[in-house]
Amino acid sequence: MDLHEFQGKSILKKYGVSVPEGILAESPEQAVEAAKHLHAITGTKFWVVKAQIHAGGRGKGGGVKLAKNVREVEKFTDKIIGMNLITPQTPPEGKKVSKVLIQQDVFYPGPSDIREFYISVLLNRKTGRNMIMYSPIGGMDIEAVAEKTPDQIFTEEIDPRYGLQGFQARRVAFNLSLEGDAFKNMVKFVQSLYKAYLDSDATLFEINPVLKASDDKIFAVDAKVTIDNNALYRHPDIAQMRDLAEEDPIEVEASRYDLNYVKLNGNVGCMVNGAGLAMATMDMIKMSGGDPANFLDVGGTANAKRVEEGFRIILKDPNVKAILVNIFGGIVRCDRVAQGIIDAYNNIDNINVPIIVRLQGTNAEEAKILLDESGLEVRSAIALEDAARLVNEALSE
Ligand code: GDP
Ligand code: MN
């Protein structure tokens, strides 16, 4: 589950990672209120107005603005709330902004220089270990840094037997060329950040930029956080941060039925039992020239109720031009599934796309006869290649 920046920062703050003071606002009036309060508690003269959406690159898309007076805070908030923010990480049509974070400006000028770094904590899937990835080049697209100047990216792998070692945290500060108080503050920053990551069962904490302010304080200016869904049950406080408005509405509904559904951009709806078979089915659709509209694993049972729920979810996507049902009858008998499809078909009245059904396994022949004799607009196949051909025919009609 992805978190908003302001939510990620609330976790960081709890662990002693310094973050700029900020207040969430859902209207220009609230933003003005927030700006005045931030001035009162921090003395800040400038503020940043930051769109809160689940995507990075907001600055480039016009979703992060520096306000130099309260009137600008009001003006920028009015402009950003309600806007369709398009960034390299949003879907092409962008994401609607409904709230902004009003934040103290920490890029204030001072006697010494300001520097921006990149620091993230994530799981290295190759080694199965957590690692800290960091770079003295911050505030930039890290993929571009990796491509152009790979020598400017450093990593610290954490041995689960010992945890993050003191020398590793010091090496981060050293490789970022910090000295004095900035060095000490960075060591503490890295240690607290790592603890926040571990304790919240996160798979990613990406801070870009990390700022060394002119007074040598180290701030997490941005926070991109992903939490492992499988661990949410032990973090009720984080679980309630879920923002359904940020998720695909069809996926939200599918999760209510406990269906494993992921929306894709193609036009062939897929209903399959088992994740492996679902992947293979999507490959097959691609190879025969089609494009899957979704991933949907109805699970091992594939009973009539599940099949009906699956159809209803798939049909909510207006791009779907044909549906391929690919069920392997192992524990579940194919003729039972076929009956489920017939019942579902009769219960749903807006099925206006061709349905191709491939049932293989126990009682596959009986299932095909049931479907063929049902009088419904269902085309059945037993072999996968036949099903692929039927999908193609249906699409080109
Ligand atoms: P992103 O574009 O979604 O990654 O959002 P960020 O939170 O990283 O903000 C984008 C950029 O805005 C940063 O790289 C900074 O250059 C700038 N920015 C963020 N916070 C401040 C601030 O407090 N003061 C100033 N002057 N600039 C800021
Ligand atoms: Mn950023």
Side-chain angles (χ1 to χ4, degrees):
M1 180 179 86
D2 291 338
L3 299 186
H4 281 297
E5 175 192 6
F6 74 95
Q7 296 167 330
K9 282 177 170 169
S10 73
I11 297 176
L12 289 174
K13 199 170 172 181
K14 224 171 72 191
Y15 283 89
V17 179
S18 33
V19 295
E21 291 294 333
I23 299 170
L24 196 70
E26 293 183 61
S27 69
E29 299 76 53
Q30 286 180 9
V32 167
E33 230 12 68
K36 287 182 182 160
H37 185 68
L38 289 172
H39 172 71
I41 60 172
T42 67
T44 191
K45 295 193 181 70
F46 298 160
W47 300 265
V48 260
V49 180
K50 311 184 77 176
Q52 297 298 291
I53 55 164
H54 285 182
R58 296 162 300 166
K60 283 187 205 120
V64 177
K65 294 271 182 219
L66 180 70
K68 299 201 167 158
N69 54 54
V70 174
R71 291 229 341 262
E72 281 188 347
V73 171
E74 189 174 14
K75 192 180 80 186
F76 292 143
T77 303
D78 189 45
K79 206 166 150 197
I80 293 174
I81 288 183
M83 90 186 273
N84 224 23
L85 186 51
I86 300 175
T87 85
Q89 293 180 22
T90 60
E93 69 275 15
K95 279 198 152 181
K96 195 123 185 127
V97 184
S98 63
K99 44 193 176 287
V100 292
L101 177 63
I102 308 299
Q103 195 175 270
Q104 144 198 33
D105 169 32
V106 282
F107 286 52
Y108 43 79
S112 63
D113 61 331
I114 285 168
R115 294 183 56 204
E116 290 179 71
F117 310 115
Y118 172 95
I119 304 182
S120 63
V121 188
L122 68 164
L123 179 67
N124 181 351
R125 291 182 186 275
K126 274 200 199 113
T127 60
R129 292 179 174 192
N130 291 322
M131 69 176 178
I132 298 173
M133 189 187 282
Y134 58 105
S135 172
I137 305 177
M140 311 256 290
D141 181 10
I142 195 67
E143 283 80 13
V145 177
E147 193 166 312
K148 283 181 212 135
T149 48
D151 57 311
Q152 292 299 298
I153 295 187
F154 301 88
T155 55
E156 300 292 335
E157 284 239 351
I158 288 105
D159 188 323
R161 286 171 297 184
Y162 312 119
L164 174 66
Q165 296 288 288
F167 76 86
Q168 293 182 296
R170 288 193 293 278
R171 193 155 59 194
V172 174
F174 178 79
N175 282 333
L176 297 175
S177 310
L178 294 171
E179 289 169 353
D181 283 346
F183 186 100
K184 280 189 220 145
N185 290 336
M186 180 56 85
V187 171
K188 177 168 178 285
F189 183 95
V190 169
Q191 285 168 332
S192 311
L193 172 64
Y194 188 68
K195 182 134 179 39
Y197 167 91
L198 265 194
D199 281 10
S200 46
D201 285 311
T203 55
L204 176 71
F205 258 85
E206 185 181 54
I207 317 296
N208 188 23
V210 173
L211 182 86
K212 186 200 84 71
S214 51
D215 54 7
D216 281 346
K217 282 196 183 129
I218 306 291
F219 286 106
V221 168
D222 194 4
K224 201 159 181 273
V225 177
T226 308
I227 307 290
D228 181 351
N229 285 342
N230 294 318
L232 277 177
Y233 73 94
R234 48 186 197 187
H235 302 285
D237 50 331
I238 300 179
Q240 58 91 23
M241 291 178 179
R242 183 171 177 194
D243 185 350
L244 293 178
E246 287 289 322
E247 298 176 28
D248 185 277
I250 309 180
E251 288 184 14
V252 172
E253 181 157 357
S255 72
R256 274 195 211 115
Y257 293 128
D258 261 331
L259 287 169
N260 253 321
Y261 173 93
V262 180
K263 176 155 173 16
L264 301 167
N265 295 325
N267 54 6
V268 183
C270 312
M271 176 154 33
V272 189
N273 66 337
L277 187 59
M279 300 295 280
T281 305
M282 288 157 58
D283 282 349
M284 195 265 309
I285 291 172
K286 273 267 185 198
M287 283 188 291
S288 62
D291 206 359
N294 65 273
F295 170 97
L296 173 60
D297 171 12
V298 291
T301 48
N303 58 31
K305 194 164 155 281
R306 300 290 284 167
V307 171
E308 183 173 332
E309 286 162 353
F311 273 130
R312 288 189 191 278
I313 290 291
I314 292 174
L315 287 165
K316 282 186 193 293
D317 178 354
N319 294 335
V320 168
K321 295 289 175 284
I323 297 178
L324 172 60
V325 180
N326 187 11
I327 303 276
F328 180 76
I331 297 167
V332 56
R333 276 167 33 202
C334 290
D335 53 328
R336 296 281 287 276
V337 177
Q339 193 55 51
I341 293 169
I342 295 166
D343 293 349
Y345 206 103
N346 288 325
N347 284 339
I348 306 173
D349 38 40
N350 65 339
I351 300 188
N352 44 14
V353 297
I355 297 183
I356 295 93
V357 179
R358 184 245 179 181
L359 292 169
Q360 180 60 285
T362 313
N363 291 1
E365 301 285 348
E366 290 86 335
K368 188 169 183 330
I369 295 168
L370 262 178
L371 288 170
D372 290 345
E373 292 180 351
S374 67
L376 301 178
E377 269 265 12
V378 174
R379 306 164 200 198
S380 66
I382 294 180
L384 201 49
E385 307 83 75
D386 291 338
R389 185 177 44 77
L390 290 173
V391 169
N392 264 339
E393 278 173 20
L395 285 178
S396 54
E397 271 162 18

